[in-house]
Amino acid sequence: MDLNARIPEGPIAEKWDRHRFEMKLVNPANKRKFTVIVVGTGLAGGAAAATLAELGYHVDCFCFQDSPRRAHSIAAQGGINAAKNYQNDGDSIYRLFYDTVKGGDFRAREANVYRLAQVSVNIIDQCVAQGVPFAREYGGTLSNRSFGGAQVSRTFYARGQTGQQLLLGAYQALERQIGLGTVKMYPRTEMLDLVVINGHARGIVVRDLLTGEVRAHAADAVVLATGGYGNVFYLSTNAKGSNVTATYRAYKRGAGFANPCFTQIHPTCIPVSGHYQSKLTLMSESLRNDGRVWVPKQKGDARRPQDIPEDERDYYLERRYPSFGNLVPRDVASRAAKQACDEGRGVGPSKMAVYLDFADAIKRLTQKGVADRYGNLFEMYERITGENPYATPMRIYPAVHYTMGGLWVDYNLMSTVPGLHVIGEANFSDHGANRLGASALMQGLADGYFILPYTIGNYLATAKQPKVSADHPEFKRSIAEVNAQTSRLLSINGKHSVDEFHRELGLVMWDHCGMARNEAGLKKALGLIPEIRERFWKEVRVPGVGAEFNQNLEKAGRVADFLEFGELMCLDALTRDESCGGHFREEHQMDDGEAKRDDERFAHAAVWEYKGPGQAPALHKEQLEFEHVHLATRVYT
């Protein structure tokens, strides 16, 4: 497996500009001769499809939702980072680069992260031009707030609806191209296989979710923008439809999967309320700007929060991390909350929650001032819990949110399969072992608007692959394999629902590969997952037929992939015998409980290669070089 990252030569601040000049171009007339498939219409996919079509390429765009605007990016709440330094508080491109590498616990590729910080300043201008209604100060200038892992205010926001507003901007650009005929949109369509011909990605096989028809689409290049795989845990903040199928099936066609064990636990989520809960709800990290996190000092204290005096409260983040306080990175805040609850100081009915208290903010800003900043989030919390967060503190607990792992890509965002480009959360490149808040939207739009449109042109200008059609034998073979799996799932006729197996897998993953991992637990999971998978293929019941709208069949295919992918995650976590960022191995921690890295053995991206059914995957390593942000223990005190 070739892991040439293709990082340009020269000073880091000049790499991207130099690379853009040195890349081969496709002239405007020839762009019309190329077809590009884009799978996914979130911020990364929607931005890429709109921009590529604007340049003149023909784009076939696919999403499993009924409309591109329903992509899960719409659920992002708190904001988008950019190194504009509007607050004149010391921010810069280099500081954003530094904070991102440090926040990822030194497990990201420096060149990609620096480019992300560079491009961030263009994203805001692009979105303002599209009409995104960012919050503004009284005088009309754009407003900023802080997020975890930073001591400057660089996060642009639209109340608690930033993802929705940014997605509507990309959606409008995409719809314009659909109207012009340069994008052909395929909603309610799920990618089920990648087609590789002569070593190059040349198309996909999809299932029409309304009719059940399985068909092939050929192209000159394929772009995956299909998001992350957090739903392997069953309970997560992701939309129920979010899954790993597109990237995992690309992995089975030769695309290396990097750092699958790097999953992010978000510290501010509404706690689990019952056994049959199907998903969790995120409370934006932006709330930590004004909310104070605390638990009672006394174990088992069952008093109402209003009855606990100030001197009997432990504002543990402020105590342990005085420089950053409540705005420490997500992995740090999550582990601290777990530790407080494990000590018996958790609150609420389950005792697996901590308080996020806005009493001081309301005194300082008034209730209206707090509502102006976070009103929709407070309303959402009250509707779900029945509690008024203006009157009593929110109860929060960490939950699975984002995945830093993904398909390996080089500097050009191309996977180990030539012609297969991977953008946004679906790739591994920018966040290392922990993503800083408000950086997901930044990466998605940077990849889609400003990076991929350059790099995919370089591929198309140099690959010189012959045209293929969907009649090619490889497409027919892939269709046959997809239909065979569908028939197999429908023929089992067992007694247990798909959700039963998914819930069982999720519990194993959370217990043994969740917020904390250890060797014994990971080995246990690696024994349990194959057993669940074997029972799934013998006992699952998938009613209905393939040639119709069948949501049980959709879920069954996705859970089948999770049952294989979960094993890869645990293997990766077991192999990475260190703690870093969101990957916390209990055997490797400092005296104060912080993550303890092993840079001599693990300063690399772990890239897994599929070797076939029943065979162990092969591990490859991309060594990470740190020339500008020197390896050091993360300190937030």
Side-chain angles (χ1 to χ4, degrees):
M1 179 173 281
D2 179 20
L3 294 184
N4 180 0
R6 297 178 177 83
I7 300 171
E9 298 293 328
I12 194 167
E14 299 175 12
K15 288 182 186 294
W16 178 232
D17 289 337
R18 178 178 296 185
H19 191 55
R20 285 191 295 174
F21 174 73
E22 293 174 347
M23 281 189 292
K24 301 297 183 183
L25 300 176
V26 179
N27 80 48
N30 285 341
K31 285 186 175 76
R32 294 190 292 271
K33 301 176 182 178
F34 290 107
T35 297
V36 179
I37 284 173
V38 177
V39 186
T41 58
L43 287 179
T51 307
L52 292 171
E54 184 86 35
L55 288 170
Y57 298 105
H58 177 78
V59 177
D60 288 339
C61 191
F62 300 81
C63 69
F64 59 64
Q65 298 91 351
D66 61 349
S67 166
R69 70 178 181 272
R70 294 192 190 276
H72 188 54
S73 299
I74 203 169
Q77 298 168 343
I80 177 171
N81 287 332
K84 284 287 200 181
N85 194 31
Y86 281 173
Q87 304 299 313
N88 198 30
D89 57 359
D91 201 12
S92 65
I93 289 171
Y94 193 90
R95 187 175 293 277
L96 175 53
F97 158 65
Y98 175 89
D99 286 347
T100 305
V101 173
K102 176 185 175 184
D105 217 352
F106 302 90
R107 292 296 178 260
R109 187 190 294 149
E110 276 194 340
N112 287 63
V113 177
Y114 192 91
R115 176 178 62 185
L116 175 64
Q118 277 181 293
V119 169
S120 72
V121 299
N122 299 324
I123 295 172
I124 304 304
D125 297 337
Q126 167 90 358
C127 294
V128 169
Q130 290 176 333
V132 173
F134 287 122
R136 293 180 181 267
E137 302 292 352
Y138 179 76
T141 57
L142 294 180
S143 182
N144 293 118
R145 58 190 176 198
S146 298
F147 257 62
Q151 290 182 299
V152 296
S153 294
R154 64 163 66 103
T155 304
F156 295 78
Y157 64 97
R159 297 185 77 194
Q161 303 170 339
T162 313
Q164 178 182 14
Q165 299 303 325
L166 291 172
L167 185 62
L168 288 173
Y171 170 69
Q172 289 174 105
L174 177 60
E175 283 295 315
R176 177 173 179 269
Q177 297 303 319
I178 293 171
L180 292 171
T182 54
V183 173
K184 187 169 184 181
M185 190 68 225
Y186 295 88
R188 302 297 288 139
T189 306
E190 182 168 26
M191 172 185 162
L192 295 181
D193 203 3
L194 175 74
V195 178
V196 179
I197 300 174
N198 296 326
H200 289 250
R202 299 309 307 272
I204 60 175
V205 168
V206 302
R207 179 174 181 270
D208 186 312
L209 298 182
L210 296 180
T211 67
E213 179 190 6
V214 175
R215 59 177 183 265
H217 294 265
D220 298 288
V222 177
V223 178
L224 294 188
T226 51
Y229 46 85
N231 274 347
V232 68
F233 292 90
Y234 186 72
L235 286 179
S236 83
T237 66
N238 288 261
K240 287 298 292 179
S242 299
N243 62 84
V244 76
T245 289
T247 50
Y248 187 70
R249 297 193 184 183
Y251 158 75
K252 295 176 80 169
R253 293 299 185 190
F257 213 111
N259 303 332
C261 77
F262 284 175
T263 54
Q264 179 167 82
I265 311 298
H266 197 293
T268 52
C269 299
I270 298 178
V272 176
S273 60
H275 177 67
Y276 288 100
Q277 192 166 344
S278 63
K279 76 176 300 294
L280 297 173
T281 302
L282 173 70
M283 289 284 100
S284 169
E285 180 174 316
S286 63
L287 294 170
R288 290 198 278 148
N289 270 279
D290 292 302
R292 301 180 69 193
V293 178
W294 66 275
V295 292
K297 289 182 178 179
Q298 180 181 335
K299 293 182 180 180
D301 193 332
R303 289 177 291 175
R304 298 186 312 159
Q306 299 94 321
D307 297 334
I308 300 177
E310 192 74 12
D311 62 355
E312 295 182 32
R313 302 178 178 187
D314 181 13
Y315 295 92
Y316 56 87
L317 292 179
E318 299 172 30
R319 170 175 56 82
R320 294 175 60 177
Y321 311 101
S323 293
F324 283 75
N326 294 295
L327 287 174
V328 291
R330 292 175 174 178
D331 61 317
V332 176
S334 295
R335 285 195 296 273
K338 180 179 185 296
Q339 182 179 354
C341 293
D342 289 348
E343 291 170 355
R345 298 190 293 148
V347 302
S350 69
K351 301 302 180 185
M352 296 300 289
V354 299
Y355 288 128
L356 182 60
D357 195 336
F358 288 86
D360 288 352
I362 291 171
K363 289 178 184 176
R364 186 178 73 253
L365 302 170
T366 73
Q367 181 170 319
K368 182 182 183 304
V370 172
D372 287 344
R373 296 184 182 189
Y374 312 111
N376 62 302
L377 298 173
F378 277 55
E379 180 183 354
M380 182 168 65
Y381 181 88
E382 185 170 7
R383 287 188 177 188
I384 292 171
T385 66
E387 298 175 359
N388 178 2
Y390 295 107
T392 189
M394 289 183 179
R395 286 180 288 108
I396 58 169
Y397 192 71
V400 174
H401 179 53
Y402 188 88
T403 55
M404 288 75 67
L407 293 183
W408 183 92
V409 292
D410 63 15
Y411 191 74
N412 292 328
L413 303 181
M414 190 160 72
S415 73
T416 55
V417 176
L420 176 65
H421 294 74
V422 190
I423 59 177
E425 190 180 358
N427 76 33
F428 90 109
S429 68
D430 290 357
H431 305 299
N434 174 65
R435 177 178 67 82
L436 293 184
S439 287
L441 307 186
M442 175 176 62
Q443 186 208 352
L445 292 180
D447 288 356
Y449 281 139
F450 297 108
I451 300 173
L452 181 75
Y454 284 97
T455 61
I456 202 169
N458 180 69
Y459 167 75
L460 293 171
T462 57
K464 300 189 184 331
Q465 292 295 300
K467 290 287 183 182
V468 298
S469 72
D471 293 327
H472 190 282
E474 284 300 316
F475 284 95
K476 294 180 179 179
R477 183 170 72 89
S478 179
I479 288 175
E481 290 178 5
V482 168
N483 283 327
Q485 171 147 323
T486 299
S487 298
R488 184 184 176 193
L489 287 167
L490 291 168
S491 68
I492 297 170
N493 201 30
K495 296 182 178 180
H496 299 282
S497 70
V498 174
D499 282 342
E500 288 181 62
F501 290 100
H502 193 180
R503 188 181 291 110
E504 186 177 356
L505 171 67
L507 187 60
V508 170
M509 295 299 296
W510 178 252
D511 286 346
H512 303 301
C513 195
M515 207 179 334
R517 300 112 186 245
N518 58 56
E519 181 179 4
L522 289 166
K523 287 181 176 178
K524 182 177 181 179
L526 287 169
L528 290 172
I529 294 171
E531 294 177 7
I532 300 171
R533 186 168 64 241
E534 183 178 0
R535 284 190 284 108
F536 172 86
W537 285 106
K538 291 179 179 179
E539 300 175 9
V540 73
R541 176 174 176 79
V542 183
V545 298
E548 65 179 12
F549 177 65
N550 189 338
Q551 290 184 304
N552 285 290
L553 179 59
E554 293 172 37
K555 288 195 292 185
R558 296 165 188 169
V559 172
D561 291 330
F562 279 141
L563 284 165
E564 294 182 18
F565 180 70
E567 191 172 359
L568 181 66
M569 284 179 64
C570 291
L571 178 62
D572 186 45
L574 181 63
T575 304
R576 186 171 286 276
D577 192 22
E578 66 162 353
S579 291
C580 58
H583 169 65
F584 188 72
R585 286 286 296 268
E586 292 175 336
E587 307 94 326
H588 304 289
Q589 53 185 301
M590 305 288 194
D591 292 339
D592 59 359
E594 301 295 347
K596 186 176 182 180
R597 296 196 320 266
D598 184 344
D599 294 329
E600 288 189 12
R601 295 193 298 153
F602 295 103
H604 63 250
V607 186
W608 296 91
E609 179 184 8
Y610 182 71
K611 301 302 269 185
Q615 298 187 52
L619 173 62
H620 305 268
K621 299 175 182 178
E622 180 199 344
Q623 292 299 320
L624 300 172
E625 304 294 333
F626 295 93
E627 301 176 15
H628 304 276
V629 182
H630 297 296
L631 289 165
T633 301
R634 286 195 305 171
V635 177
Y636 291 100
T637 56

